[in-house]
Amino acid sequence: MPLLLPVLLAALLFSIGIYGVLARRNAILVLMAVELMLNAVNLNLVAFDVWLRDRLLAGQVFTLFVITIAAAEIGLGLAIILLVFRNRATAALDELRDLREQDLAPAGRLGESGTDGGTEPAVTS
Amino acid sequence: MTVEVLFGLLGVVATGSALLVVTTRQMVHAALWLVVTLGAVAGCYLLLSAEFVAWVQVLIYIGAVVVLLLFGLMLTRAPIGASVDLDASMAQRLAAAVVAGATAGVLVVSLVDAFRGEHIALETDRPRGHSSAVGAALFRDWVLPFEVLSVLLLAALVGAIVLSRRDVSEPAERGVT
């Protein structure tokens, strides 16, 4: 099997995950997109492990580790989202703006009002 | 030859359902399309002879993670049926598409340039990812990271419990702001 097949599939899945993280507004949908990106990385690890014939099976063992860490991440992420939802009654990322720069800061330095909606909500998750 | 064709079909299924995960307007459908994507990736693992990883993917990702996500959808009172406010504004979606497309372009071009003509030689008589081989590697060479990972899981468990308990945090009565 050509190595390009799994590697290109992983690249496509990763890009789709990036789009999901940046374009979605709901925190749980962002978590789903993060899962897509983790899966792309796992596919890469397995493909290169099989290609390089690693004696220690490092790629597949790392894949198992990443799957475990993803499960832990989802558990903690959902707990945080539920806490936010309980306090704010919303899971929309662009409404969580308490930590942004306030208007009393020197205006126009970072362009806080105009470009706020860019790629920022992904960071606030 | 059949392996390549099967892998290509699974790749098409995985990519298509992943696109639906990030674009559908119904939240529960997004979780269910995620199941299709993860299942197709598990099939890819099987074709790459990583048998144990494939079944772990089915058990943990499809079995546990998706169920957790569905619980999250339920507990945050996700709207049932189509909903328009799942996506960000049009401008942000456009920017996200540009970023994702640029990432895909850079990755595809550089990967094709780097790995064109390389072939994976799959062993059919004794697959590499057989569960006995992976188990031996996991508990012989990788036993220390494995144990560290169990501590991480314990920490995540305790953290999730602490975060979701209602009575430990007194400012929880602050009310909706």
Side-chain angles (χ1 to χ4, degrees), chain A residues 22-79:
Chain A
L22 292 180
R24 286 299 207 183
R25 197 165 161 263
N26 187 292
I28 295 180
L29 289 171
V30 171
L31 275 185
M32 286 185 201
V34 170
E35 292 308 303
L36 284 181
M37 292 161 80
L38 283 170
N39 259 281
V41 173
N42 285 346
L43 195 57
N44 254 340
L45 279 173
V46 170
F48 281 108
D49 173 84
V50 178
W51 180 51
L52 295 171
R53 299 167 165 273
D54 182 32
R55 198 178 54 81
L56 293 179
L57 277 168
Q60 301 196 18
V61 174
F62 270 34
T63 305
L64 295 178
F65 289 171
V66 171
I67 288 177
T68 319
I69 292 174
E73 172 240 331
I74 280 289
L76 274 182
L78 278 181

Side-chain angles (χ1 to χ4, degrees), chain B residues 82-153:
Chain B
S83 156
V84 284
D85 60 349
L86 300 181
D87 282 322
S89 62
M90 193 63 205
Q92 183 175 337
R93 258 184 298 167
L94 214 61
V98 168
V99 171
T103 313
V106 169
L107 281 178
V108 165
V109 169
S110 54
L111 286 172
V112 167
D113 188 46
F115 298 117
R116 198 189 311 123
E118 301 285 356
H119 273 266
I120 299 176
L122 294 170
E123 306 151 42
T124 45
D125 47 342
R126 181 163 175 74
R128 274 180 63 77
H130 196 258
S131 40
S132 66
V134 177
L138 199 57
F139 289 108
R140 194 171 292 148
D141 302 314
W142 298 95
V143 68
L144 192 61
F146 185 80
E147 297 295 334
V148 171
L149 205 60
S150 68
V151 177
L152 174 85
L153 272 183

Side-chain angles (χ1 to χ4, degrees), chain B residues 3-137:
Chain B
V3 178
E4 282 88 343
V5 173
L6 265 180
F7 199 97
L9 288 178
L10 280 174
V12 169
V13 170
T15 320
S17 49
L19 275 174
L20 281 169
V21 169
V22 296
T23 54
T24 178
R25 294 203 177 280
Q26 310 200 23
M27 289 191 73
V28 182
H29 286 195
L32 297 178
W33 283 118
L34 188 65
V35 171
V36 178
T37 309
L38 298 176
V41 173
C44 294
Y45 291 156
L46 272 183
L47 288 180
L48 285 170
S49 76
E51 180 191 334
F52 185 67
V53 176
W55 297 127
V56 167
Q57 163 108 350
V58 171
L59 279 176
I60 296 189
Y61 259 120
I62 302 180
V65 168
V66 172
V67 171
L68 263 180
L69 284 171
L70 285 171
F71 263 113
L73 290 183
M74 207 172 66
L75 291 173
T76 55
R77 305 207 188 99
I80 301 201
S83 156
V84 284
D85 60 349
L86 300 181
D87 282 322
S89 62
M90 193 63 205
Q92 183 175 337
R93 258 184 298 167
L94 214 61
V98 168
V99 171
T103 313
V106 169
L107 281 178
V108 165
V109 169
S110 54
L111 286 172
V112 167
D113 188 46
F115 298 117
R116 198 189 311 123
E118 301 285 356
H119 273 266
I120 299 176
L122 294 170
E123 306 151 42
T124 45
D125 47 342
R126 181 163 175 74
R128 274 180 63 77
H130 196 258
S131 40
S132 66
V134 177

